[in-house]
Amino acid sequence: MFELSDTQIGGWVGQFMLPLFRVAALLMSMPVIGTQVVPVRIRLYLSLAITLVLVPALPAMPQVDALSLQTLVLIAQEVLIGVMLGFALQLFFQLFVLAGQLLATQMGLGFASMMDPVNGVSVPVLGQFFNVLVVLLFLTMNGHLVVLDTLAESFTSLPVGEALSSEHYWAVATRLGWVLGAGLLLVLPAITALLVINLAFGLMTRAAPQLNIFSIGLPLTLVLGMVIVWVGLADIFAQYQVFVTDALQWLRELIRAP
């Protein structure tokens, strides 16, 4: 009769299940793969496949009791690490959405909104355009492969069973300001150009008060804003490279934090 001891079950749980929770937490929370567009079942299958590939190359896992409280604590730690990495990637994608929303508000296009199928909220069309653009660039430049490589490296630099320190939480908290600053920096030239246009309309109103500036100001601001966006897209790839390099480098530093 085939029998399994508690030690064998605990070894299997520690060797496969604990890494699975970290991988699954990342895939459930990261952009592109962890969105509502990808079914949960597909994400679960991907988590199982990635874990099966990673397990032979991972360092030795702790021996745990499958039904003990310590195992539940380790599972919670692994889920927290995966969610932390996914949230860090979400910050990078949201800076482009924020840039689109700021630009849409400045050019008077903030009222044109659509339902975001990924997040389930209403966002300006321009913000959704930047979101789709950065997703395509991220997949084209194999950013998802870099994320998986960082995930595999995290099992060595941040082994299973090692609790997160306060430096990890502080690193994530300080990055929230980076999103706002990077979003402003991304659209600063366009916002400056639109500000000059609005100042010109203000001077026209002072010079000719009888001119109905609102009837021509809004359409002209929209047209000129779209022209500015079209001109700015010529340099979007270079700006994307700077931000994605910074975000992925920060992701590697995050898993190496003391």
Side-chain angles (χ1 to χ4, degrees), residues 149-208:
D149 180 68
T150 305
L151 175 64
E153 183 183 346
S154 69
F155 287 100
T156 302
S157 57
L158 195 62
V160 174
E162 181 177 337
L164 293 174
S165 62
S166 58
E167 284 78 6
H168 292 92
Y169 302 107
W170 177 250
V172 175
T174 54
R175 208 62 175 184
L176 296 175
W178 173 80
V179 176
L180 181 59
L184 289 173
L185 184 62
L186 188 63
V187 294
L188 186 60
I191 291 180
T192 304
L194 290 172
L195 179 61
V196 173
I197 294 173
N198 291 327
L199 289 176
F201 286 144
L203 293 176
M204 291 173 59
T205 304
R206 294 289 296 177

Side-chain angles (χ1 to χ4, degrees), residues 198-230:
N198 291 327
L199 289 176
F201 286 144
L203 293 176
M204 291 173 59
T205 304
R206 294 289 296 177
Q210 68 277 10
L211 182 63
N212 188 5
I213 197 63
F214 294 102
S215 61
I216 62 174
L218 180 60
L220 192 58
T221 303
L222 287 174
V223 173
L224 293 177
M226 296 304 296
V227 172
I228 292 171
V229 171
W230 175 65

Side-chain angles (χ1 to χ4, degrees), residues 125-142:
V125 176
L126 199 57
Q128 184 67 9
F129 170 75
F130 277 107
N131 187 25
V132 174
L133 181 62
V134 72
V135 167
L136 294 177
L137 289 175
F138 187 77
L139 295 176
T140 302
M141 299 182 64
N142 294 326

Side-chain angles (χ1 to χ4, degrees), residues 91-106 130 175-194 236 239 243:
L91 291 179
F92 164 69
F93 277 78
Q94 290 304 314
L95 78 88
F96 286 89
V97 178
L98 176 64
Q101 292 177 347
L102 292 174
L103 187 56
T105 303
Q106 186 68 23
F130 277 107
R175 208 62 175 184
L176 296 175
W178 173 80
V179 176
L180 181 59
L184 289 173
L185 184 62
L186 188 63
V187 294
L188 186 60
I191 291 180
T192 304
L194 290 172
I236 191 65
Q239 297 178 359
F243 289 124

Side-chain angles (χ1 to χ4, degrees), residues 25-99:
L26 173 62
L27 294 185
M28 294 293 178
S29 59
M30 70 176 293
V32 185
I33 299 177
T35 60
Q36 298 179 4
V37 178
V38 182
V40 178
R41 182 176 298 179
I42 300 299
R43 283 178 272 173
L44 180 58
Y45 290 157
L46 286 175
S47 302
L48 290 172
I50 294 173
T51 306
L52 287 174
V53 174
L54 288 178
V55 162
L58 295 182
M61 297 294 165
Q63 292 288 334
V64 296
D65 184 3
L67 301 179
S68 65
L69 181 61
Q70 179 188 4
T71 304
L72 295 178
V73 174
L74 291 177
I75 290 174
Q77 289 179 358
E78 294 306 303
V79 172
L80 185 59
I81 292 173
V83 171
M84 180 187 66
L85 297 177
F87 179 72
L89 287 173
Q90 287 284 1
L91 291 179
F92 164 69
F93 277 78
Q94 290 304 314
L95 78 88
F96 286 89
V97 178
L98 176 64

